[in-house]
Amino acid sequence: MGKDYAQFCGLAKASSLLGERWSLLILRDLSVRPCRFKDLLEGLPGIPTSVLTTRLRDLQAAGVVTRVAGDQPGGGVHYALTQHGEALAPVLDALGRWGAATMVAPEPDEVTTDASLAVALRAAFQPGVTSSAATYAVRAGTATAWATTTQDSVIVGAGAPEVPPDLTIHCGPELRALLAGTLTPTAALTSGAARIEGPPELFDRFARAFRVPFIETGGSHE
């Protein structure tokens, strides 16, 4: 458990647990779906096994994460968010939007994972922008995620959707500019920054429904 700040304050208590290195990213991945220990290791490149073990132990002790049996026979033990942990999803999304506002392109050593892409889509969704339901599969570099939208809600998942999507988007780092609105769907297709499988009008709808604008901070985006 992180250092206690000796304050009777909700933010201090949250910070002592969530401020530990890797904790937020573990919760990010578990907010998408329950994971085996091996899944978490693979989805968090660079995390030491001992650190993952310690963080999961602390998150369980705090009532945020629990161990559950896998859905499939022989599926082993999975880690999942408790109801208390699931309440963190809007917080994770808000932090993700805040952090992404100054992101333009990944550094050479930065990766996008299936879970991080799924959470990025969840955080970017704008309720009320579109009235039609649709399922989108997004492939950004080596990462794949999907999002099913209605007028007011979105459900996301890591990897490929179980049902055929209405639109599949193939894109690279330019996806960030598309979500920011600085790259239009037409320009993305014309330049080759993106290609799609499905109706172009759905690509336009996707770009309207998922949006995280850039902000100026007085420094460089690079």
Side-chain angles (χ1 to χ4, degrees), residues 73-194:
V77 173
H78 287 62
Y79 293 89
L81 296 182
T82 63
Q83 184 175 4
H84 187 45
E86 288 174 349
L88 283 167
V91 178
L92 296 172
D93 292 348
L95 284 171
R97 284 190 298 271
W98 184 84
T102 58
M103 290 167 43
V104 173
E107 297 294 332
D109 60 344
E110 291 181 333
V111 300
T112 301
T113 67
D114 291 356
S116 70
L117 178 58
V119 172
L121 293 173
R122 188 179 69 201
F125 178 67
Q126 303 293 305
V129 171
T130 177
S131 60
S132 302
T135 294
Y136 304 94
V138 182
R139 296 176 179 172
T142 60
T144 303
W146 57 269
T148 296
T149 65
T150 64
Q151 180 174 358
D152 297 315
S153 66
V154 63
I155 299 173
V156 301
E162 295 183 357
V163 298
D166 299 295
L167 179 72
T168 298
I169 302 167
H170 302 266
C171 201
E174 296 85 1
L175 178 64
R176 179 67 193 98
L178 185 70
L179 295 179
T182 59
L183 177 67
T184 67
T186 299
L189 295 175
T190 301
S191 67

